[in-house]
Amino acid sequence: MFKASLEAADLQRALKYVKPIAGHKSHMPVFNCVKLEARPGALEVTAYDGTTTVYMLVMADTGQCEPIIIPFKGLTAALPAKGHIKLDGKDLDLVVHYINSKAYVTGGIALNDYPKLQAPEIITSSSHNYTDQLRKALNKTLHAVSADEGRLGLNGLSFKKQKNFWRLCGTDGHRLSLMDLDFHVDGPAEEAIVPRTACLALQARLNDRKKGEAKLHLGIMFTSGVRARSATKTTPAVDRVPDWATFKLDGMSIVTQLVDDTFPDYTQVMPKPNDLAVKFKVDRKAWIKACAAVYKANVAVCKANRASGRASGRNTPSAKHELTPTGLTLTSGDLKAKVPASLLGEPVEHLWGMNTQYIKQALESLGTKEVDCSLTHSKQSPLFVTEGSNHLQIIMPIRI
């Protein structure tokens, strides 16, 4: 019988970190569950989605008892926001006791049906200096990663070792965001594609440091696997062992199988200094506001068209961007929005189409008052957005 006693807020917090793994709907019920297991002085919360495993330790009073596997959404709904709770589990059901009340969580999974999981690697080097760097990089690159799990090579964040740094890059084929970092990674691998869900779980933890909490120590390891080989007359067959990545934080471990695909050669779209003919600065908040207005207008048009039985039209929140010496103007249907902008260099005029949601997400990931942007001479030039010397975002144009 499973028993544990702990603070509801601590368990809620742990569930928030594993939500990218267990919180999305899967056709396999086991992937929609979390495993609760007693550890000395703690409760271990585990989530697994077939590729990534997240382990979270929560301070709790536990006895010697069998683990229990419970639906993530049912457990989340049953927990109060705060207060002390007691968990009583029997067979496949769990009872959550709190002040003058209790809630039931049913529909659990038998322990024998839960897969055997990859244990976290032992990481010898970790530092709190890595956490701020990686937190900023994830916040600035993950929005560009494709959410389509069918596009393997794009459904993850590329970690690639350069001469003196690591480069993180995400792309969905329509936009790209990369950032260079100076941190250490254990293991021999110099290139890895880390699944998007693993990065989202790591991002959730790094962005949620409690007030007054000490800086987290972060350790990273990439483990090279073994390629499958057929048997020959002199050597036996070798089963394939996948490549793995391990991220270790205080109280949290993420073990994930790396994406077994090739990341696109993004160097082909990276600009050379002589290619950038048009350079300008734009007020970031004003541009975000204009992009939000375009999106709102697009939604209104789609709703009106559906209500009248016509095709929705303008499914992509796009806008013409016209750059002149007097500023930047966004035009979408009857909507026109003026954004303060200043040209650097000779006066020019440039007109191009852009997905405003992509621009909005890129701008929201930045922290500057003004945004440094560049274009080439081509009428179908991508938009190049830079922040400092180590961060670049590229947004491809669209026809409108």
Side-chain angles (χ1 to χ4, degrees), residues 62-102:
T62 58
Q64 291 185 349
C65 52
E66 286 288 317
I68 189 168
I69 294 98
I70 290 295
F72 170 85
K73 289 189 175 179
L75 180 58
T76 303
L79 290 178
K82 57 184 179 180
H84 199 78
I85 59 171
K86 291 183 179 180
L87 306 178
D88 289 331
K90 186 178 180 181
D91 297 329
L92 306 182
D93 299 331
L94 182 73
V95 183
V96 182
H97 298 272
Y98 49 98
I99 301 174
N100 300 325
S101 187
K102 58 184 177 181

Side-chain angles (χ1 to χ4, degrees), residues 76-136:
T76 303
L79 290 178
K82 57 184 179 180
H84 199 78
I85 59 171
K86 291 183 179 180
L87 306 178
D88 289 331
K90 186 178 180 181
D91 297 329
L92 306 182
D93 299 331
L94 182 73
V95 183
V96 182
H97 298 272
Y98 49 98
I99 301 174
N100 300 325
S101 187
K102 58 184 177 181
Y104 295 88
V105 185
T106 59
I109 302 292
L111 189 60
N112 292 337
D113 294 334
Y114 202 72
K116 292 183 179 180
L117 303 178
Q118 177 85 2
E121 297 281 351
I122 297 175
I123 299 177
T124 56
S125 60
S126 63
S127 172
H128 60 76
N129 294 325
Y130 303 156
T131 55
D132 282 342
Q133 288 191 65
L134 188 57
R135 177 182 59 79
K136 291 176 182 177

Side-chain angles (χ1 to χ4, degrees), residues 15 75 79 165 205 248 254 347 358 391:
L15 292 175
L75 180 58
L79 290 178
F165 57 88
R205 180 65 185 100
K248 292 206 75 172
I254 299 174
Y358 290 170
H391 181 45

